[in-house]
Amino acid sequence: MKKVQDHYFKKAKKDNYPARSVYKLEEAQKKFQILRRNDKVLDLGCHPGSWTKYAAGIIGGKGRVVGIDLQQCRIKGPPGGAEIELIRGDIFDPQLAVLQEAEFDVVLSDMAPKTSGNKFTDHVKSVELARRALEIATKVLRKNGHFYCKVFQGEDFPGFVEDTRQFFSKVKVVKPKSSRSESREVFVLGMNLV
Ligand SMILES: C[S@@+](CC[C@H](N)C(=O)[O-])C[C@H]1O[C@@H](n2cnc3c(N)ncnc32)[C@H](O)[C@@H]1O
């Protein structure tokens, strides 16, 4: 397991990404083509910016990525990549203007609570973040838009997947190889907002 960690950690350094988490998006992208050229993407919980940078490269110079995080993110996109806007804010803040903007093609969320060590508490907080991400996605996505969201599994997880199914025509639970096998994190992918 340690080997796998080291592999992705080193690979992220080599590929010039600030976090190994980038491969959890890249794997899903290769399999499901979530992001397309010229897309407008909202990245919830974007710090330190690996997903934002990766998305900016995939969608290209005519695309746009808006990243939001509690912490100030300062990532730069790759050459020829999309315009990036980075906002410091809390996704529960109802005043956050970007959350009123409609017509995003993709909403990503790799948000995670500060882990407490208590599995149940961490699970409950993670589902809270995921539910808020789903609420935002259903508001800002265009019809047929996609949603890719991290959640820590636990007793409220099946309910979250069921709720996601109400809004998207295809829903999958994804566990990328780059996600540590001992971690309870998985990703819920909602494709084609109805
Ligand atoms: C695992 S990191 C994201 C890593 C990022 N996807 C990357 O590839 O660089 C999770 C982030 O979620 C953010 N987060 C947690 N709760 C949040 C909230 N209420 N509003 C905005 N961001 C939040 C944290 O500050 C943290 O930076």
Side-chain angles (χ1 to χ4, degrees):
M1 224 164 314
K2 189 92 170 99
K3 256 193 184 162
V4 174
Q5 276 183 37
D6 289 348
H7 169 71
Y8 288 110
F9 179 78
K10 283 184 192 154
K11 187 166 160 52
K13 279 211 145 168
K14 192 175 124 256
D15 294 346
N16 211 10
Y17 284 105
R20 67 193 291 293
S21 50
V22 66
Y23 305 109
K24 301 172 194 172
L25 176 59
E26 186 195 59
E27 279 184 64
Q29 172 64 18
K30 287 191 170 156
K31 203 161 171 192
F32 302 107
Q33 290 81 47
I34 303 164
L35 303 159
R36 298 189 181 192
R37 294 228 39 103
N38 310 336
D39 270 356
K40 185 175 164 192
V41 178
L42 181 61
D43 183 9
L44 304 174
C46 63
H47 184 272
S50 296
W51 280 25
T52 292
K53 182 176 178 182
Y54 175 76
I58 296 286
I59 64 181
K62 290 191 180 141
R64 179 167 172 239
V65 187
V66 180
I68 305 177
D69 203 288
L70 294 171
Q71 307 177 64
Q72 184 63 60
C73 182
R74 300 185 197 283
I75 195 79
K76 296 234 169 359
E83 175 201 343
I84 294 176
E85 183 187 351
L86 298 166
I87 298 167
R88 184 175 187 179
D90 184 338
I91 51 107
F92 288 101
D93 178 357
Q95 309 295 326
L96 216 54
V98 68
L99 303 183
Q100 321 302 325
E101 241 181 78
E103 296 298 293
F104 281 91
D105 300 290
V106 177
V107 173
L108 304 172
S109 171
D110 191 26
M111 284 190 295
K114 270 206 175 121
T115 45
S116 66
N118 178 311
K119 275 190 184 162
F120 182 71
T121 310
D122 294 344
H123 157 67
V124 170
K125 285 189 181 161
S126 162
V127 171
E128 236 172 65
L129 287 170
R131 284 195 186 283
R132 175 67 177 143
L134 176 63
E135 184 187 24
I136 292 168
T138 56
K139 226 166 78 185
V140 305
L141 278 177
R142 65 162 169 81
K143 190 175 184 297
N144 283 320
H146 306 320
F147 174 58
Y148 184 61
C149 177
K150 173 156 85 186
V151 198
F152 297 164
Q153 285 173 292
E155 67 179 49
D156 293 340
F157 177 69
F160 174 68
V161 177
E162 272 323 296
D163 289 352
T164 308
R165 282 191 206 288
Q166 289 180 25
F167 297 101
F168 293 89
S169 50
K170 238 198 284 171
V171 172
K172 287 184 183 296
V173 176
V174 180
K175 176 75 177 172
K177 281 201 200 100
S178 51
S179 170
R180 296 175 177 123
S181 55
E182 75 274 22
S183 161
R184 300 175 109 201
E185 76 174 5
V186 288
F187 293 81
V188 175
L189 172 62
M191 298 200 76
N192 302 102
L193 182 81
V194 289

